[in-house]
Coordinates of all heavy atoms in Angstrom, one line a residue:
Chain A
Y51 N -107.2 60.2 -109.8 CA -107.5 60.5 -111.2 C -108.9 60.8 -111.5 O -109.3 61.6 -112.3 CB -107.0 59.3 -112.0 CG -105.5 59.3 -112.3 CD1 -104.8 58.2 -112.0 CD2 -104.9 60.4 -113.0 CE1 -103.4 58.2 -112.3 CE2 -103.6 60.4 -113.2 CZ -102.8 59.3 -112.9 OH -101.5 59.3 -113.2
A54 N -109.7 64.2 -110.7 CA -109.2 65.2 -111.7 C -109.9 65.0 -113.1 O -109.7 65.8 -114.0 CB -107.7 64.9 -111.9
H56 N -109.7 62.1 -115.2 CA -109.0 61.3 -116.3 C -110.0 60.5 -117.1 O -110.8 59.8 -116.5 CB -107.9 60.4 -115.6 CG -106.9 59.9 -116.6 ND1 -107.3 59.0 -117.6 CD2 -105.6 60.2 -116.8 CE1 -106.2 58.7 -118.4 NE2 -105.2 59.4 -117.9
R58 N -109.8 57.7 -118.6 CA -109.7 56.3 -118.5 C -110.8 55.7 -117.5 O -111.2 54.6 -117.6 CB -108.3 55.9 -118.1 CG -108.0 54.4 -118.3 CD -106.7 53.9 -117.7 NE -105.6 54.8 -117.9 CZ -104.7 55.3 -117.0 NH1 -104.8 54.8 -115.8 NH2 -103.8 56.1 -117.4
V78 N -111.9 68.2 -117.6 CA -110.6 68.1 -116.8 C -110.1 69.6 -116.5 O -109.8 69.9 -115.4 CB -109.5 67.4 -117.6 CG1 -108.2 67.4 -116.8 CG2 -110.0 65.9 -117.8
D79 N -110.1 70.4 -117.5 CA -109.6 71.8 -117.3 C -110.5 72.6 -116.5 O -110.1 73.4 -115.7 CB -109.2 72.4 -118.7 CG -110.4 72.3 -119.7 OD1 -110.7 71.1 -120.0 OD2 -110.9 73.3 -120.2
A82 N -109.8 72.0 -112.9 CA -108.6 72.7 -112.4 C -108.9 74.1 -112.2 O -108.5 74.7 -111.2 CB -107.5 72.5 -113.5
R83 N -109.7 74.7 -113.1 CA -110.0 76.1 -112.9 C -111.0 76.3 -111.8 O -111.0 77.4 -111.2 CB -110.6 76.7 -114.2 CG -109.6 76.7 -115.4 CD -110.0 77.7 -116.5 NE -111.2 77.2 -117.2 CZ -111.2 76.3 -118.2 NH1 -110.1 75.8 -118.6 NH2 -112.4 76.0 -118.7
F87 N -106.5 70.4 -107.8 CA -105.1 70.2 -108.3 C -104.7 68.8 -107.9 O -104.9 68.3 -106.8 CB -104.2 71.2 -107.6 CG -102.8 71.0 -108.1 CD1 -102.3 71.7 -109.3 CD2 -101.9 70.2 -107.4 CE1 -101.0 71.5 -109.7 CE2 -100.6 70.0 -107.9 CZ -100.1 70.7 -109.0
L88 N -104.1 68.1 -108.9 CA -103.6 66.7 -108.6 C -102.1 66.7 -108.9 O -101.6 67.0 -110.0 CB -104.3 65.7 -109.6 CG -103.7 64.3 -109.6 CD1 -103.7 63.6 -108.3 CD2 -104.4 63.5 -110.7
M90 N -99.3 64.4 -109.5 CA -99.4 63.0 -109.9 C -98.3 62.1 -109.4 O -97.2 62.6 -109.1 CB -99.4 63.0 -111.4 CG -100.7 63.6 -112.0 SD -100.9 63.5 -113.8 CE -101.9 64.9 -114.1
V94 N -96.2 63.4 -116.3 CA -96.0 63.1 -117.7 C -94.9 64.0 -118.3 O -94.9 65.2 -118.1 CB -97.3 63.3 -118.4 CG1 -97.2 62.9 -119.9 CG2 -98.4 62.5 -117.7
E95 N -94.1 63.4 -119.2 CA -93.2 64.2 -119.9 C -93.8 64.9 -121.2 O -94.6 64.2 -121.8 CB -92.0 63.3 -120.4 CG -91.2 62.7 -119.3 CD -90.0 62.0 -119.7 OE1 -89.7 62.0 -120.9 OE2 -89.3 61.4 -118.8
I96 N -93.5 66.1 -121.4 CA -94.1 66.8 -122.6 C -93.0 67.3 -123.4 O -92.5 68.5 -123.2 CB -95.1 67.8 -122.2 CG1 -96.1 67.2 -121.2 CG2 -95.8 68.4 -123.5 CD1 -97.3 67.9 -121.0
P97 N -92.5 66.6 -124.5 CA -91.4 67.1 -125.3 C -91.7 68.4 -125.9 O -92.8 68.7 -126.4 CB -91.3 66.0 -126.3 CG -92.1 64.8 -125.8 CD -93.1 65.3 -124.9
G98 N -90.7 69.2 -125.9 CA -90.8 70.5 -126.7 C -91.5 71.6 -126.0 O -91.6 72.7 -126.5
V99 N -92.1 71.3 -124.8 CA -92.8 72.4 -124.1 C -92.0 72.7 -122.8 O -91.8 71.9 -122.0 CB -94.2 71.9 -123.6 CG1 -94.9 73.0 -122.9 CG2 -95.0 71.6 -124.9
N103 N -92.9 78.1 -120.2 CA -94.0 78.3 -121.1 C -95.2 77.6 -120.5 O -96.3 78.1 -120.5 CB -93.6 77.7 -122.5 CG -94.8 77.9 -123.5 OD1 -95.7 78.7 -123.3 ND2 -94.7 77.2 -124.6
F104 N -95.0 76.4 -120.0 CA -96.1 75.6 -119.4 C -96.7 76.3 -118.2 O -97.9 76.4 -118.1 CB -95.5 74.2 -119.1 CG -96.4 73.4 -118.1 CD1 -97.6 73.0 -118.5 CD2 -95.9 73.0 -116.9 CE1 -98.4 72.2 -117.6 CE2 -96.6 72.3 -116.0 CZ -97.9 71.9 -116.4
T107 N -98.7 79.4 -119.3 CA -99.9 79.0 -119.9 C -100.9 78.5 -118.9 O -102.1 78.9 -119.0 CB -99.7 77.9 -121.0 OG1 -98.6 78.3 -121.8 CG2 -100.9 77.6 -121.8
A108 N -100.5 77.7 -117.9 CA -101.4 77.2 -116.9 C -101.9 78.3 -116.0 O -103.1 78.4 -115.8 CB -100.7 76.1 -116.1
A111 N -104.5 80.3 -117.8 CA -105.7 79.5 -117.9 C -106.5 79.6 -116.6 O -107.7 79.8 -116.6 CB -105.5 78.1 -118.3
I112 N -105.8 79.4 -115.5 CA -106.5 79.3 -114.2 C -107.0 80.6 -113.8 O -108.1 80.8 -113.3 CB -105.4 78.8 -113.1 CG1 -105.0 77.3 -113.5 CG2 -106.0 78.9 -111.7 CD1 -105.8 76.2 -112.9
N145 N -90.9 67.9 -117.4 CA -90.6 66.6 -116.9 C -89.6 65.7 -117.7 O -89.3 64.6 -117.3 CB -91.9 65.8 -116.6 CG -92.8 66.4 -115.6 OD1 -92.2 66.8 -114.5 ND2 -94.1 66.4 -115.8
E157 N -94.1 69.2 -109.4 CA -95.6 69.2 -109.1 C -95.9 70.2 -108.0 O -96.9 71.0 -108.2 CB -96.0 67.8 -108.7 CG -95.9 66.7 -109.7 CD -96.8 66.8 -110.9 OE1 -98.0 66.5 -110.7 OE2 -96.4 67.3 -111.9
Q160 N -95.9 73.8 -109.2 CA -97.1 74.2 -109.9 C -98.2 74.5 -108.9 O -99.0 75.4 -109.1 CB -97.6 73.0 -110.8 CG -96.7 72.7 -112.0 CD -97.0 71.4 -112.6 OE1 -98.1 71.1 -112.9 NE2 -96.0 70.6 -112.8
Chain B
K272 N -89.8 64.4 -138.6 CA -91.0 64.4 -137.8 C -92.1 64.9 -138.7 O -92.0 65.9 -139.4 CB -90.9 65.3 -136.6 CG -90.0 64.7 -135.5 CD -90.1 65.5 -134.2 CE -89.6 64.7 -133.0 NZ -90.0 65.3 -131.8
D340 N -101.2 61.9 -127.7 CA -101.0 61.2 -126.4 C -102.0 61.8 -125.4 O -101.9 62.9 -124.9 CB -99.5 61.5 -126.0 CG -99.2 60.7 -124.7 OD1 -100.2 60.3 -124.0 OD2 -98.0 60.5 -124.4
D341 N -102.9 60.9 -125.0 CA -103.9 61.2 -124.0 C -103.3 61.7 -122.7 O -103.8 62.6 -122.0 CB -104.8 60.0 -123.7 CG -105.8 59.8 -124.7 OD1 -106.1 60.7 -125.5 OD2 -106.4 58.7 -124.8
E342 N -102.2 61.0 -122.3 CA -101.6 61.4 -121.0 C -101.1 62.8 -121.0 O -101.2 63.5 -120.0 CB -100.5 60.4 -120.7 CG -101.0 58.9 -120.4 CD -102.2 58.8 -119.4 OE1 -102.1 59.5 -118.4 OE2 -103.1 58.0 -119.7
Q343 N -100.5 63.2 -122.1 CA -100.0 64.5 -122.2 C -101.1 65.5 -122.2 O -101.0 66.5 -121.5 CB -99.1 64.7 -123.5 CG -97.9 63.9 -123.5 CD -97.1 64.1 -124.8 OE1 -97.5 64.8 -125.7 NE2 -95.9 63.5 -124.9
L344 N -102.1 65.2 -123.0 CA -103.3 66.1 -123.0 C -103.9 66.3 -121.6 O -104.2 67.3 -121.1 CB -104.4 65.6 -123.9 CG -104.1 65.9 -125.4 CD1 -105.3 65.5 -126.2 CD2 -103.9 67.4 -125.6
F345 N -104.0 65.1 -120.9 CA -104.6 65.1 -119.6 C -103.8 65.9 -118.6 O -104.3 66.7 -117.8 CB -104.8 63.7 -119.1 CG -105.2 63.6 -117.6 CD1 -106.5 63.9 -117.2 CD2 -104.2 63.2 -116.6 CE1 -106.8 63.9 -115.9 CE2 -104.6 63.2 -115.3 CZ -105.9 63.6 -114.9
Y346 N -102.5 65.7 -118.7 CA -101.6 66.5 -117.8 C -101.8 68.0 -118.0 O -101.9 68.7 -117.0 CB -100.1 66.1 -118.0 CG -99.2 66.6 -117.0 CD1 -99.1 66.0 -115.8 CD2 -98.3 67.7 -117.3 CE1 -98.2 66.5 -114.8 CE2 -97.4 68.2 -116.4 CZ -97.4 67.6 -115.1 OH -96.5 68.0 -114.2
L347 N -101.8 68.4 -119.2 CA -101.9 69.9 -119.5 C -103.3 70.4 -119.0 O -103.5 71.4 -118.4 CB -101.7 70.1 -120.9 CG -100.3 69.9 -121.4 CD1 -100.2 69.9 -122.9 CD2 -99.3 70.9 -120.8
Q348 N -104.3 69.6 -119.4 CA -105.7 70.0 -119.0 C -105.9 70.0 -117.5 O -106.6 70.9 -117.0 CB -106.7 69.1 -119.7 CG -106.9 69.3 -121.1 CD -107.9 68.4 -121.7 OE1 -107.6 67.3 -122.2 NE2 -109.2 68.8 -121.7
S349 N -105.2 69.1 -116.8 CA -105.4 69.1 -115.4 C -104.8 70.3 -114.7 O -104.9 70.5 -113.5 CB -104.8 67.8 -114.8 OG -103.4 67.9 -114.7
R350 N -104.1 71.1 -115.5 CA -103.5 72.4 -115.0 C -104.4 73.5 -115.5 O -103.9 74.7 -115.6 CB -102.1 72.5 -115.5 CG -101.0 71.9 -114.6 CD -101.5 70.7 -113.8 NE -100.4 70.0 -113.1 CZ -100.7 69.0 -112.3 NH1 -101.9 68.5 -112.0 NH2 -99.7 68.4 -111.6
G351 N -105.6 73.2 -116.0 CA -106.5 74.3 -116.3 C -106.5 74.7 -117.8 O -107.2 75.5 -118.2
I352 N -105.6 74.1 -118.6 CA -105.4 74.5 -119.9 C -106.5 73.8 -120.8 O -106.6 72.6 -120.7 CB -104.0 74.1 -120.4 CG1 -102.9 74.8 -119.6 CG2 -103.8 74.4 -121.9 CD1 -101.5 74.3 -119.7
E353 N -107.2 74.6 -121.6 CA -108.3 74.0 -122.4 C -107.7 73.1 -123.4 O -106.6 73.2 -123.9 CB -109.1 75.1 -123.1 CG -110.0 75.9 -122.1 CD -110.7 77.0 -122.8 OE1 -111.1 76.8 -124.0 OE2 -110.9 78.0 -122.1
E354 N -108.6 72.1 -123.9 CA -108.2 71.1 -124.7 C -107.5 71.6 -126.0 O -106.4 71.1 -126.4 CB -109.3 70.2 -125.1 CG -108.9 69.0 -126.0 CD -109.9 68.0 -126.3 OE1 -111.0 68.0 -125.7 OE2 -109.6 67.1 -127.2
E356 N -106.0 74.4 -126.6 CA -104.7 75.0 -126.3 C -103.7 73.9 -125.9 O -102.5 73.9 -126.3 CB -104.9 75.9 -125.1 CG -103.6 76.5 -124.5 CD -103.0 77.6 -125.4 OE1 -103.6 77.9 -126.5 OE2 -102.0 78.2 -125.0
L360 N -100.1 73.0 -127.7 CA -98.8 72.9 -127.0 C -98.1 71.6 -127.4 O -96.9 71.6 -127.6 CB -99.0 73.0 -125.5 CG -99.2 74.3 -124.9 CD1 -99.5 74.2 -123.4 CD2 -97.9 75.2 -125.1
V361 N -98.9 70.5 -127.4 CA -98.4 69.2 -127.7 C -97.8 69.1 -129.2 O -96.7 68.7 -129.4 CB -99.4 68.1 -127.5 CG1 -98.8 66.7 -128.0 CG2 -99.7 68.0 -126.0
I363 N -97.0 71.7 -131.2 CA -95.8 72.6 -131.4 C -94.6 72.0 -130.6 O -93.5 72.0 -131.2 CB -96.2 74.0 -130.9 CG1 -97.2 74.6 -131.8 CG2 -94.9 74.8 -130.8 CD1 -97.7 75.9 -131.4
G364 N -94.9 71.4 -129.5 CA -93.8 70.7 -128.8 C -93.2 69.6 -129.5 O -92.0 69.4 -129.6
F365 N -94.1 68.8 -130.2 CA -93.6 67.7 -131.0 C -92.7 68.2 -132.1 O -91.7 67.6 -132.4 CB -94.8 67.0 -131.5 CG -94.5 65.9 -132.5 CD1 -94.0 64.7 -132.1 CD2 -94.8 66.0 -133.9 CE1 -93.7 63.7 -133.0 CE2 -94.5 65.1 -134.8 CZ -93.9 63.9 -134.4
M367 N -91.2 71.1 -132.4 CA -90.2 72.1 -132.0 C -88.8 71.6 -132.0 O -87.9 72.3 -132.4 CB -90.6 72.6 -130.6 CG -90.0 73.9 -130.2 SD -90.1 75.2 -131.5 CE -91.8 75.7 -131.4
E368 N -88.7 70.3 -131.7 CA -87.3 69.7 -131.8 C -86.6 69.9 -133.1 O -85.4 70.2 -133.2 CB -87.5 68.2 -131.5 CG -86.2 67.5 -131.3 CD -86.4 66.0 -131.0 OE1 -87.5 65.5 -130.9 OE2 -85.3 65.3 -130.9
Q371 N -86.3 74.1 -133.9 CA -85.1 74.7 -133.2 C -83.8 74.4 -133.8 O -82.8 75.1 -133.6 CB -85.1 74.2 -131.7 CG -86.1 74.8 -130.8 CD -86.3 74.0 -129.5 OE1 -85.8 72.9 -129.4 NE2 -86.9 74.7 -128.5
K401 N -109.3 56.3 -130.7 CA -108.4 55.4 -130.1 C -107.9 54.3 -131.1 O -106.8 54.0 -131.1 CB -109.1 54.6 -128.9 CG -109.8 55.6 -128.0 CD -109.0 55.7 -126.7 CE -109.7 56.6 -125.7 NZ -108.9 57.5 -125.0

Side-chain angles (χ1 to χ4, degrees):
Chain A
Y51 277 124
H56 195 293
R58 193 187 317 135
V78 176
D79 47 301
R83 292 199 295 275
F87 181 87
L88 168 60
M90 292 186 205
V94 183
E95 298 186 1
I96 309 194
V99 179
N103 181 16
F104 164 63
T107 308
I112 297 270
N145 292 321
E157 295 291 285
Q160 295 166 49
Chain B
K272 286 191 165 195
D340 184 340
D341 280 344
E342 296 305 321
Q343 292 180 357
L344 281 184
F345 171 72
Y346 189 77
L347 293 168
Q348 286 180 267
S349 78
R350 275 30 174 172
I352 300 167
E353 284 179 35
E354 181 173 352
E356 174 78 356
L360 279 175
V361 171
I363 290 175
F365 172 74
M367 201 42 79
E368 191 180 354
Q371 284 165 344
K401 307 254 179 220

